Amino acid sequence: MNRFLLLLALSLSQLCLGQAGERIITKQGQVSFFSHTSVEDIEATNNQVLSIVDFTSKEVAISMLMRAFVFKKALMQEHFNESYIESDIYPKCSFEGKILDLERPLPQEQTKLIKGNITIHGVSKELEIKTKIENDQDKISFSGTFNLTVADFKIKIPPIVAGNISKTIEVNFRFEEYLPYEN
C-alpha cells in the first residue's frame, strides 16, 4: 500500500508544475459520502486520500482508491465496489483544480472556491467546490461539502434498489497534516 501511495504521489506531482513552488502533501485526507432516502441511509468513509497543493500555481490534486471506502454493512460495500462503481475497472477517483482568489500569505482562515474536474467511474465533470482553508501556526487544512449527482457519472442503479439510493450524494472532505513536498 505504501508503494502505491508513493507512486500516486509521484504521478500527482506532475500536476503541480513549477520547480520552486510552495507545495504541500498529505496522506491524512478523509472523504465521506452520505445518501438519504426514506428507505435507508447509506454512508461510507475513505481515509486513504492523497492531496497535493501548490500555492504558487494555486493547483490542487486529489486521488483516492474507491475500494478504500468503508461501509457499516459489508454487503453495501460489496455492491458499491462490484455493481455500482465497478472498482476493478475504475479503481480510483481524482480531482484536479485551481484555487480561485487565494490570499497570500495564508490568513488564519479563508473560504475559497476551487474550480476543477472530478473523475469518477471513468467520467469527468467540472465542479466548483466551496472550501474552507485553515492555517493554524502553519498547520494547514482544507475542508468542505459538495453534492454529486449519481447519473452524471453513468453509474447504473438497478430499478429494484433505486428507491434505496439517493439521486444526489452529499460528499464531505477534510485534508490535514500537510507536509512540505519536494520532487
Side-chain angles (χ1 to χ4, degrees):
M1 182 55 73
N2 286 338
R3 186 165 57 331
F4 171 77
L5 290 173
L6 178 62
L7 289 172
L8 192 57
L10 290 173
S11 66
L12 282 174
S13 70
Q14 301 306 312
L15 297 172
C16 298
L17 305 174
Q19 299 290 22
E22 296 176 83
R23 289 180 276 188
I24 55 175
I25 183 171
T26 187
K27 298 175 197 166
Q28 302 299 317
Q30 182 182 74
V31 173
S32 62
F33 68 81
F34 181 73
S35 163
H36 171 75
T37 65
S38 59
V39 178
E40 71 180 322
D41 291 338
I42 301 170
E43 56 188 313
T45 302
N46 187 333
N47 290 312
Q48 297 179 25
V49 186
L50 179 71
S51 170
I52 298 176
V53 178
D54 184 328
F55 287 114
T56 302
S57 66
K58 301 178 185 171
E59 292 178 305
V60 176
I62 299 163
S63 185
M64 67 181 149
L65 291 174
M66 297 306 284
R67 282 204 178 275
F69 275 102
V70 177
F71 293 71
K72 289 180 182 175
K73 297 178 183 175
L75 189 57
M76 283 183 181
Q77 191 163 328
E78 181 181 328
H79 288 168
F80 173 81
N81 285 301
E82 292 178 10
S83 302
Y84 307 131
I85 292 297
E86 301 174 285
S87 296
D88 289 340
I89 300 168
Y90 309 104
K92 68 178 186 170
C93 166
S94 64
F95 177 82
E96 299 169 20
K98 206 157 191 132
I99 306 168
L100 305 180
D101 302 319
L102 181 68
E103 294 175 36
R104 296 293 284 156
L106 285 178
Q108 191 171 19
E109 185 178 306
Q110 60 183 307
T111 300
K112 297 296 175 187
L113 282 178
I114 298 179
K115 185 175 184 177
N117 287 301
I118 189 167
T119 303
I120 301 172
H121 198 246
V123 178
S124 292
K125 175 138 176 77
E126 190 172 295
L127 283 180
E128 281 189 4
I129 303 170
K130 191 175 182 180
T131 304
K132 182 178 180 181
I133 304 169
E134 296 174 275
N135 179 15
D136 183 14
Q137 299 176 4
D138 292 328
K139 292 182 181 176
I140 298 168
S141 66
F142 285 64
S143 60
T145 300
F146 61 95
N147 292 316
L148 293 176
T149 305
V150 175
D152 287 346
F153 297 96
K154 298 182 181 173
I155 298 169
K156 295 179 177 94
I157 308 296
I160 195 162
V161 294
N164 297 29
I165 301 170
S166 176
K167 292 175 182 11
T168 302
I169 307 296
E170 179 183 273
V171 180
N172 292 288
F173 63 92
R174 180 156 184 86
F175 304 107
E176 53 192 12
E177 296 186 34
Y178 281 94
L179 299 172
Y181 177 77
E182 298 177 22
N183 290 12

